[in-house]
Amino acid sequence: GIQVEQSPPDLILQEGANSTLRCNFSDSVNNLQWFHQNPWGQLINLFYIPSGTKQNGRLSATTVATERYSLLYISSSQTTDSGVYFCAVMNSGGSNYKLTFGKGTLLTVNP
Amino acid sequence: DTGVSQNPRHKITKRGQNVTFRCDPISEHNRLYWYRQTLGQGPEFLTYFQNEAQLEKSRLLSDRFSAERPKGSFSTLEIQRTEQGDSAMYLCASSFDWDRGGYTFGSGTRLTVV
């Protein structure tokens, strides 16, 4: 099946810093989503971004499907940004419903 | 739209007991999914419903697991004869078709088998 690798696995920032999270995938995709899992376990959908660039406030994401990677940018980080960020993809050569998740990036933002 | 609702939030059960979880998806969504997440890992696919039809069941689901979605509305996930290895967070999500946006997850049910 498709492989999803996220980097870095852990990231510690001071409040106000910027960061870039990366997601590499091993095959072509037709669906890519970024999620934030808060300390209580709730998965929040940040972006549906199979290609191109999107922005939502301090967050933005870019997917370059032809090169099989996606980036999530967090600017002016806040303590509430802490948690695990997951990238999840749907293989365009496979089923059109099964999302495969990476292992996530654990982000800690200190005050 | 109140989001995806899961009940209960937490369940502690003794090994060998049966448990049932419920998921109420976003009413406009026609797709419903169950995922399982263990500590330090990303969610793993368990099963998928298109309306009331269960279209795939992962190999992760042994015969002790069964899921239903009567009338294409809410869904239940039952685990019979629970084992300690079943301890995990069980997540439900719903969506439109694959090319119409992202998934919305519920808060999950955390199962602990003692």
Side-chain angles (χ1 to χ4, degrees), chain B residues 29-50:
Chain B
H29 288 170
N30 57 337
R31 294 181 163 210
L32 186 147
Y33 318 85
W34 286 96
Y35 281 74
R36 181 169 69 186
Q37 186 178 23
T38 54
L39 199 61
Q41 302 297 316
E44 295 176 290
F45 172 81
L46 292 180
T47 192
Y48 155 64
F49 289 86
Q50 175 88 21

Side-chain angles (χ1 to χ4, degrees), chain B:
Chain B
D1 178 1
T2 57
V4 178
S5 176
Q6 289 190 248
N7 288 289
R9 290 294 309 276
H10 303 275
K11 179 71 176 179
I12 300 174
T13 190
K14 292 184 177 179
R15 189 175 52 186
Q17 296 294 305
N18 299 343
V19 295
T20 300
F21 311 141
R22 178 179 171 123
C23 172
D24 288 89
I26 292 173
S27 56
E28 296 84 2
H29 288 170
N30 57 337
R31 294 181 163 210
L32 186 147
Y33 318 85
W34 286 96
Y35 281 74
R36 181 169 69 186
Q37 186 178 23
T38 54
L39 199 61
Q41 302 297 316
E44 295 176 290
F45 172 81
L46 292 180
T47 192
Y48 155 64
F49 289 86
Q50 175 88 21
N51 299 313
E52 69 273 13
Q54 185 176 19
L55 297 186
E56 182 170 336
K57 186 176 174 180
S58 164
R59 289 174 298 172
L60 291 175
L61 286 188
S62 72
D63 291 343
R64 297 184 296 105
F65 288 72
S66 63
E68 295 182 343
R69 191 184 183 196
K71 301 180 182 178
S73 56
F74 70 93
S75 176
T76 57
L77 178 67
E78 180 183 17
I79 309 175
Q80 296 182 328
R81 305 181 303 281
T82 52
E83 302 173 355
Q84 286 190 322
D86 298 332
S87 296
M89 174 77 89
Y90 290 84
L91 295 161
C92 176
S94 68
S95 77
F96 294 113
D97 289 332
W98 65 271
D99 57 349
R100 289 186 57 199
Y103 288 19
T104 301
F105 276 87
S107 299
T109 294
R110 184 169 296 283
L111 173 66
T112 303
V113 182
V114 298

Side-chain angles (χ1 to χ4, degrees), chain A residues 12-78:
Chain A
I12 300 175
L13 300 175
Q14 287 300 121
E15 201 166 24
N18 303 329
S19 61
T20 301
L21 281 56
R22 188 176 180 102
C23 171
N24 292 334
F25 40 93
S26 62
D27 205 344
S28 59
V29 301
N30 55 15
N31 185 319
L32 187 147
Q33 301 179 43
W34 283 97
F35 295 90
H36 174 221
Q37 189 165 42
N38 65 24
W40 297 272
Q42 174 77 56
L43 271 169
I44 304 297
N45 192 301
L46 299 176
F47 293 103
Y48 164 71
I49 185 166
S51 63
T53 298
K54 290 186 178 180
Q55 180 156 5
N56 184 1
R58 297 181 296 102
L59 302 182
S60 64
T62 294
T63 297
V64 184
T66 53
E67 297 187 19
R68 300 183 182 173
Y69 73 89
S70 182
L71 302 173
L72 177 69
Y73 305 96
I74 304 174
S75 64
S76 303
S77 58
Q78 301 175 357

Side-chain angles (χ1 to χ4, degrees), chain A residues 61-105:
Chain A
T62 294
T63 297
V64 184
T66 53
E67 297 187 19
R68 300 183 182 173
Y69 73 89
S70 182
L71 302 173
L72 177 69
Y73 305 96
I74 304 174
S75 64
S76 303
S77 58
Q78 301 175 357
T79 55
T80 52
D81 294 332
S82 296
V84 183
Y85 289 80
F86 288 104
C87 169
V89 304
M90 194 177 291
N91 188 342
S92 56
S95 63
N96 67 355
Y97 49 82
K98 180 179 176 180
L99 276 182
T100 299
F101 283 75
K103 290 189 174 183
T105 292

